[in-house]
Structures are given as C-alpha cells and as structure tokens.
Amino acid sequence: KLMGRMALAEKLGQLNMLSGDWVITGPVIPTRYLDGVKRGEVGAIFNLWTREATRAAQRMALEETRLGIPLLFGLDVIHGHRTLFPNGLAEACAFDPELWRTPARAAAREAADDGLHLTFAPMIDICRDPRWGRIAEGPGEDAHVASVMARAKTQGFQGEDLAQPDGVAATAKHFCGYGASEGGRDYAAVDLSQRQIEEAYLPPFKAAIEAGVAAVMPAFNDLAGVPMTAHPAMLDGVLRKRWGFAGVLISDYTAIKELIHHGVAADLTHAAALALNAGVDIDMMSQAYIHHLPEALERGLVSMEAIDASLARVLALKEALGLFDDPYREGAALKRKDFAAHRALAREAAVKSMVLLQNRRDVLPLAAQARRIAVIGPLADAKAEMFGSWPGVAGASEAVTFLEGLNAALPQAQIVAAPGVPIEGGDMAGVEAALAAARAADVVVLCVGEGAEMSGEAASRADPGLPGHQRALAEAVLALGRPHVVALCAGRPLT
C-alpha cells in the first residue's frame, strides 16, 4: 500500500544511505544529509548516534516529508560500542560461542540505547595472510570457527526478535573472499578456486543467513575479475536463489561508484544499473541510485520491478525493526547498572581471549613478593593504543594501561615504567634508561607490539613483525637474564 503511493524519487530515496558527520569511515565526501532527509532523498543514515541526534533526524523524516517513512540508523559496532570487548581475532582464540554471543548482545543494547538500528557486523571474512590489516576484525583462518562465530554474533546482535528495541539488525560482511586479497593488500583483487570459495569462504555467510541475519554487505574486491558489488552470480545466484536470503544487501562505502575504477562501468548511471541488477538494495555514499537510476530506467538499463524489489526489502527491514510502530524505539534506554555489567563482561571476555604462549620457570602469576617491577616498552603506558581498531564510541580516557593495571593490582610493589623506543620509527635514545630500570627489577614486564591504527581497514603491513626498533629493545632486555613476562599486543599474528 505504501509503495503504491510513492513517486520514483521517494522510492530511490529509500535506497540511499548517507553518512553523518560525526566520524569518518571512508573517503571524505561532503553531504548535506539532513537536507536530503527533508527532501525525501535519504532512507538511512550512518555515523550519527546518540538518542538526541537520531531523534532529531527521525522527527525530520516523520514530520517534514510527504510520506513520513522512518529513517534507518547504522554504525560500525565491531567489537563493542560504549563498552569495548576483545576484537574478533582475539575472541576467536577463546573458542567459546557463548562468549561470542553475549558481548554482541551487550553491544547491541548499547547501540540501541544510542538510537541505532543496524550494525555493519559481524565481519566474518576468512583470512590466511597476516599482512592484511582487517584480519583483526574477523575470526581468522578457519571456516568452522568462522561459521560458529557468525551464528553467535548474529544471534547476539539481533536477539530473538528484531522488533524488540534493545537489539540491532546485523550485517554479515564482506561477501565474499575479501580476506584473500592479493599480497594482503586491502581492496586488492582476489582469485580463488571454486573449491576454496565453497569450502572456506562461503560457509560463514551461509551460517549467518541460517541464523537470520538481516543484511549482507558485498565486499570491495573483485572475484576473478568481477567486482562483488556487480556480481549477479554470487549476490542473486548464491545468496538469494541458492540460500534463500530475503534480507537487504547494502553496498560498502562508495563501492557502487568504484565500479568505474574497477573498469566495468562507464559512468555512474551504468554503475548504478550494474549494482541494482546484481541485487544491491542500498547504495552507501555513492549517491548513484538517487541521481542516476532515473536515467538508467529511461535507457532501459534497469526495470521498475527491480527497483520495487529492492524497495520492498528495505521497507520490510524497517517494518521488522518495528520502526513504523515505534520510530523512536522508546524501550531501548539502559541504566547505569547495565553498563557496569557490560564492563564486567568485557573483563571476562578479555581474560578468556588472552593466550598464554608459555610460562617458563613459572614467572606467572606475578608473586606477591615481587617488590620491584620494571614495565618496559612503548605499550607500557599507552592509553590510546589499548582499544585496537574500530574502537566504537568509547572514550580513550577509560582505557586501563598495563602500568595502571599493575599499580592497582600490586600496590605494595615499586613499579617503574620506561618506554625505551616509540612504537614505530624514532630513535633508540631511551633504551639505556629502560635497561637500567630492568637491571634493578625483580621482574620485567615487556609491553611490545602494534599501535591501535596499525591494523584494521587500509592498514596492511608488508612486514608483520614487531614494528620500529622494538625487536632490538626486546633482545637487549631479554639478554639481561632477569625474570620476565612479554605482553604482546597486536591486531594480527606477528612474525
């Protein structure tokens, strides 16, 4: 009934997703997104949160447009929202589906409390090349582990019923093969055998769909020369026809526009037609659908039936989320005690995710009689580095450094910190002070690894070892022969 009342521009507006200006998660493209809302040209907004901000934009859509269709609000809630949990690769180390589900449930509650309806997670890309920066976000190398995690995360984010206001719609990403990019370089081409695709890269997405995931995001990469954003055999053929996926397909950031750079589209009109015909329902940030599908329709490149099919899926998701009945989702508010429980859960998840590689001479746990402790390395007292990539909307001031944690746990000890060297680059002028502190200590805690922004999107590393001069620092400290603990932080396996 609603679709029958809609003009073409209003239909295309529902397929148009624009970024708010609260955070940058892709190329900086100025958009007057609120003006677009008023004109009925925007159906979804991401990178805008808080109940106040989303309520103001929602009121605009409901009261200042002809049809009053509610907006959909999304955000990258990857490993937590206001409370941060271990990233995907760390969580995979716990091999615990309940541990994967419950943090997602807590993150969903916090996101919903902030006015959000959808997360661009879980990230379930199989990755077997540690040079790729986004290995940090996902489950690692194993298809079975990834499939179990996909189910658990989907269930955690969405809860038992999408209409309940304390959950969010999940988006399984990135379909498919993104983690196999050549050379471990983000966005690079992917060339896999059909056997590898079927046995390793597809199963996690099938598991997410079987768990009822609301949305899927095609990957940036091409697969054997065909960009995933314009791959009808994979999007329509595998997802929809073979697996029966009836949810929404959301493009990645400007992915439709990038079909021109892939060399398969002559212009944005052609790119819009290719993506829509492949099955992509929502255009994130390219604005190709809203501005260029009318011309594609006139030229016969797309049909009104294809536009209506995508529109129906988008409106069905909004209906499933209860937005037509409760556009402000009044029941999503959390209390202070909820956040305290989430912080306790984050601690439990962190403990279970940490990996003890070895404990020679039983140095751990640190004995109460360890009176002098030297905390050495560039990550010893580095608040900003404790969160890893995609830190949600959490405040770095709430992070606990190794130095702060040890001071709190061992108040009777004399604890001295010395960075020695920067995380990457820089000189080694601080090494002598670090060695002096280590010599005077009963035990050394050596805190080395990557900085937070050294993994994640567009953060591939050609040499995935200890960055900068950290290896030289570590070797010098270990050569002293003092009892020692190495606390290694990284978003990938390090060589």
Side-chain angles (χ1 to χ4, degrees):
K1 184 177 178 181
L2 176 61
M3 289 171 62
R5 298 172 55 201
M6 297 175 74
L8 176 61
E10 291 168 321
K11 292 181 176 183
L12 299 180
Q14 290 300 304
L15 312 184
N16 186 31
M17 175 181 277
L18 292 184
S19 175
D21 49 13
W22 286 36
V23 66
I24 304 300
T25 55
V28 179
I29 303 171
T31 59
R32 300 177 69 87
Y33 60 96
L34 293 179
D35 291 344
V37 171
K38 292 179 182 178
R39 293 193 299 268
E41 295 178 353
V42 178
I45 295 174
F46 66 113
N47 293 342
L48 182 75
W49 64 93
T50 75
R51 188 161 289 277
E52 295 73 25
T54 56
R55 179 180 287 273
Q58 191 71 288
R59 184 178 295 113
M60 204 175 289
L62 296 172
E63 299 178 3
E64 299 186 37
T65 64
R66 185 176 75 92
L67 297 175
I69 300 173
L71 293 167
L72 181 69
F73 295 101
L75 189 70
D76 286 285
V77 181
I78 305 299
H79 60 111
H81 185 62
R82 294 197 179 276
T83 304
L84 286 189
F85 299 91
N87 66 24
L89 193 59
E91 280 191 323
C93 296
F95 293 99
D96 185 344
E98 186 61 16
L99 187 73
W100 301 336
R101 188 191 67 80
T102 48
R105 180 95 289 268
R109 294 181 69 204
E110 292 185 1
D113 177 64
D114 251 349
L116 298 168
H117 310 137
L118 177 139
T119 174
F120 305 115
M123 196 278 240
I124 47 178
D125 294 310
I126 295 294
C127 180
R128 296 167 174 175
D129 188 335
R131 294 174 296 182
W132 191 55
R134 301 196 79 167
I135 193 172
E137 299 170 50
E141 66 184 0
D142 186 83
H144 174 67
V145 172
S147 298
V148 176
M149 182 179 278
R151 280 190 289 270
K153 289 293 181 185
T154 297
Q155 292 163 354
F157 283 128
Q158 297 189 169
E160 295 182 2
D161 183 357
L162 274 179
Q164 293 299 312
D166 64 346
V168 293
T171 307
K173 67 181 190 184
H174 306 82
F175 187 82
C176 150
Y178 189 33
S181 57
E182 289 184 359
R185 298 184 65 180
D186 218 348
Y187 320 123
V190 170
D191 201 354
L192 294 168
S193 72
Q194 192 62 33
R195 177 179 176 179
Q196 285 180 301
I197 293 169
E198 295 286 348
E199 292 188 357
Y201 294 89
L202 287 182
F205 290 93
K206 189 171 188 289
I209 289 167
E210 289 172 346
V213 76
V216 172
M217 179 177 285
F220 277 123
N221 59 274
D222 63 46
L223 187 60
V226 183
M228 290 305 307
T229 307
H231 205 313
M234 293 297 289
L235 304 186
D236 185 58
V238 174
L239 281 176
R240 298 215 186 277
K241 291 188 172 67
R242 187 165 134 197
W243 293 345
F245 176 62
V248 173
L249 283 171
I250 305 174
S251 87
D252 211 331
Y253 199 111
T254 66
I256 294 178
K257 181 179 180 181
E258 288 174 19
L259 291 175
I260 299 171
H261 302 292
H262 274 284
V264 300
D267 51 31
L268 274 174
T269 301
H270 190 198
L274 287 173
L276 185 79
N277 289 333
V280 177
D281 301 312
I282 292 180
D283 170 11
M284 181 191 285
M285 285 302 286
S286 292
Q287 300 189 73
Y289 282 5
I290 189 71
H291 294 312
H292 297 276
L293 276 182
E295 180 186 348
L297 192 62
E298 288 179 10
R299 291 167 53 186
L301 300 177
V302 298
S303 67
M304 184 58 74
E305 289 76 16
I307 292 172
D308 282 347
S310 286
L311 172 64
R313 287 189 284 263
V314 172
L315 294 179
L317 175 57
K318 292 184 176 185
E319 184 178 42
L321 285 162
L323 296 181
F324 288 105
D325 298 319
D326 181 16
Y328 300 113
R329 304 191 99 197
E330 297 289 356
L334 292 179
K335 299 178 176 61
R336 185 178 298 274
K337 65 179 177 59
D338 297 310
F339 289 99
H342 293 173
R343 191 175 181 92
L345 176 62
R347 181 185 179 91
E348 177 191 355
V351 168
K352 290 181 177 178
S353 296
M354 291 176 193
V355 177
L356 176 61
L357 294 179
Q358 57 188 0
N359 191 15
R360 288 183 297 198
R361 295 190 293 276
D362 296 323
V363 176
L364 289 174
L366 291 180
Q369 61 265 31
R371 294 295 179 184
R372 294 168 300 186
I373 301 173
V375 189
I376 306 297
L379 292 171
D381 193 26
K383 265 190 188 297
E385 310 301 340
M386 293 294 100
F387 281 175
S389 63
W390 295 109
V393 302
S397 62
E398 296 183 63
V400 178
T401 69
F402 288 107
L403 178 62
E404 290 170 335
L406 286 166
N407 275 320
L410 301 170
Q412 77 284 357
Q414 177 188 352
I415 301 176
V416 177
V421 297
I423 293 175
E424 55 182 332
D427 57 39
M428 299 181 66
V431 172
E432 282 306 316
L435 293 177
R439 289 189 191 97
D442 298 322
V443 64
V444 175
V445 179
L446 185 60
C447 304
V448 292
E450 295 181 321
E453 296 185 1
M454 295 183 74
S455 61
E457 186 168 1
S460 299
R461 293 184 61 208
D463 178 11
L466 278 175
H469 300 301
Q470 291 187 64
R471 184 184 180 103
L473 170 69
E475 289 176 342
V477 170
L478 298 180
L480 298 176
R482 307 301 297 160
H484 59 268
V485 180
V486 178
L488 183 64
C489 289
R492 54 168 56 79
L494 295 183
T495 57

